Amino acid sequence: MAQYPQRVFSGVQPTGNLHLGNYLGAITRFVSLQETHECIYCVVDLHAITVPQNPADLARNIREVTAAFIACGVDPERHIVFNQSQVAEHAELAWVFNCVARMGWLNRMTQFKEKAGRDRENASVGLYAYPTLMAADILVYRATHVPVGDDQKQHLELARDIAQKFNNDFSASIAERGHGDEFFPLPEPLIQGPATRVMSLRDGSKKMSKSDPSDYSRINLMDSAETIAQKVRKAKTDPDALPSEVDGLSGRSEADNLVGIYAALSGGGKPDVLREYGGRNFSEFKNALVELAVQKLGPIGAEMRRLNSDPSYIDQVLRNGSSRARVIAAENMTAVRDILGFVR
Ligand code: TYM
């Protein structure tokens, strides 16, 4: 197997309401990986338009996700932060992958089934082809590691399948052009930590989501301290005290979720949280969770508000990141065109 330099890529959709799940499942990982890897973080605006968007809201949300990355500690000087639509190679490679991926593979994607719902005939073609664009995002940089929440696992498996099929289908051409026996790495998902699937605060069987109609189901990164306190206090729980062992959380999805959130925010694991809070009731635990959440999220929200008031700085970050991303993407895309046999 070929050796690729390690490179991290991940993306977040600019669809509003960035929440604690995005933060704990993905963005905190983005921050820590900066110490060990070359990282590329993308605001995936082409993915956002797979469902209808109001142009003014879309522009605001693109800037807001960028502000969130920076406020959480992503460094746009040392690493690359940009928005997808400024690097045309994403869409170009996605088309190639539309011709590599099989209908049967896409038909298995659970996220499409959930998002399209019963009215599948009326879903956009883009929503169906969403995962091939996601594979292109990663592979146009030949990225090797992809930090994501648990809900993206199936899409990552598809990206690996696409990379593998491309490598197999074009193996002779890849070798002839001096790329060895394969062109794309098989990107590895990094799904790590105690909060890879943060659940709704109203219903422990549903994941926390930007699109849940109830704002009480999630903690948004820009919520005020009072709002965070209200949402945590209203979070659904059960009548029992907290268990002392992780096993005691099974079958108690709401308790498990709050303990996972506390663990992730405090940088520990669930056993550490239960060692401290086992046997205590929820009102006591929720007070501690409010305090911790406000302490961690308060400064992020404040920094996001500050950055949001300076859109020209954000736009400059995105332009700068896009031009650096484009250099890598253009080189790989030229190689792909040659491998395919396109004449230039
Ligand atoms: P998106 O915008 O829905 O979510 C951004 C990131 O947040 C994670 N996440 C969660 N993690 C834990 N608990 C939750 N409740 C929760 N909700 C969301 C997601 O797993 C994701 O990591 N398809 C992607 C965006 C994308 C992408 C990519 C990601 C496009 N191209 C290439 C990686 C690589 C998405 O819709 O994420």
Side-chain angles (χ1 to χ4, degrees):
M1 208 171 122
Q3 282 297 312
Y4 297 89
Q6 294 209 345
R7 178 179 280 157
V8 166
F9 180 94
S10 196
V12 175
Q13 288 200 69
T15 40
N17 299 326
L18 270 185
H19 55 68
L20 190 61
N22 301 129
Y23 176 65
L24 296 177
I27 305 176
T28 54
R29 306 281 117 197
F30 297 4
V31 175
S32 54
L33 284 161
Q34 296 182 113
E35 299 310 317
T36 47
H37 289 76
E38 175 198 348
C39 303
I40 306 178
Y41 296 128
C42 183
V43 184
V44 292
D45 45 13
L46 297 176
H47 277 107
I49 63 163
T50 56
V51 295
Q53 298 292 335
N54 169 300
D57 292 345
L58 180 61
R60 202 189 54 246
N61 287 329
I62 291 168
R63 295 190 178 107
E64 196 171 296
V65 173
T66 313
F69 285 173
I70 298 169
C72 292
V74 171
D75 180 347
E77 303 283 323
R78 281 175 52 219
H79 300 276
I80 295 181
V81 172
F82 76 108
N83 56 321
Q84 196 183 22
S85 60
Q86 293 205 59
V87 181
E89 284 80 0
H90 288 244
E92 186 179 356
L93 186 59
W95 178 257
V96 174
F97 287 169
N98 282 339
C99 303
V100 172
R102 307 288 91 187
M103 295 281 284
W105 300 0
L106 287 174
N107 285 339
R108 284 199 287 276
M109 295 294 113
T110 54
Q111 188 165 301
F112 174 74
K113 290 181 197 157
E114 278 161 25
K115 287 201 174 169
R118 273 197 227 115
D119 197 8
R120 207 180 281 195
E121 292 287 303
N122 205 25
S124 72
V125 175
L127 190 66
Y128 183 72
Y130 181 113
T132 59
L133 176 59
M134 184 162 157
D137 297 338
I138 300 164
L139 293 170
V140 82
Y141 302 100
R142 299 210 275 176
T144 52
H145 293 84
V146 186
V148 281
D150 181 68
D151 60 340
Q152 296 301 316
K153 197 171 168 192
Q154 195 184 34
H155 288 160
L156 258 296
E157 280 159 11
L158 186 87
R160 292 169 64 91
D161 289 344
I162 290 175
Q164 184 136 46
K165 186 164 184 338
F166 182 95
N167 288 339
N168 289 343
D169 289 355
F170 299 101
S171 58
S173 185
I174 289 169
E176 236 167 75
R177 278 158 190 83
H179 300 294
D181 44 6
E182 54 194 25
F183 184 71
F184 289 120
L186 305 190
E188 236 179 81
L190 299 175
I191 303 175
Q192 296 162 332
T196 55
R197 190 173 182 81
V198 177
M199 307 309 278
S200 157
L201 299 180
R202 308 297 286 167
D203 177 351
S205 68
K206 281 199 328 206
K207 76 171 184 191
M208 186 177 283
S209 138
K210 293 169 188 156
S211 56
D212 193 313
S214 167
D215 201 48
Y216 275 89
S217 67
R218 63 182 161 259
I219 294 176
N220 301 308
L221 291 186
M222 287 210 293
D223 279 346
S224 67
E226 279 130 80
T227 307
I228 293 174
Q230 267 174 4
K231 287 178 174 176
V232 171
R233 297 218 167 91
K234 283 204 172 177
K236 190 172 166 207
T237 47
D238 57 47
D240 296 337
L242 281 166
S244 303
E245 306 282 335
V246 175
D247 286 350
L249 291 171
S250 71
R252 297 178 68 185
S253 54
E254 282 89 9
D256 187 25
N257 189 38
L258 294 185
V259 169
I261 291 172
Y262 191 102
L265 284 172
S266 63
K270 290 181 188 175
D272 306 311
V273 181
L274 296 179
R275 214 168 294 128
E276 197 174 343
Y277 291 98
R280 314 264 196 104
N281 60 30
F282 272 106
S283 62
E284 222 175 315
F285 178 63
K286 281 180 169 180
N287 285 337
L289 181 55
V290 168
E291 200 178 312
L292 178 63
V294 168
Q295 183 201 328
K296 293 284 172 186
L297 301 181
I300 293 173
E303 180 64 357
M304 281 176 72
R305 273 185 284 277
R306 191 186 70 77
L307 290 165
N308 283 340
S309 69
D310 189 0
S312 62
Y313 166 70
I314 297 288
D315 294 1
Q316 187 217 317
V317 165
L318 292 174
R319 270 197 304 274
N320 176 279
S322 297
S323 62
R324 287 153 63 206
R326 216 176 282 128
V327 173
I328 308 170
E331 188 186 330
N332 288 331
M333 201 59 224
T334 301
V336 169
R337 286 189 215 104
D338 289 346
I339 289 167
L340 291 168
F342 291 158
V343 174
R344 63 182 164 113

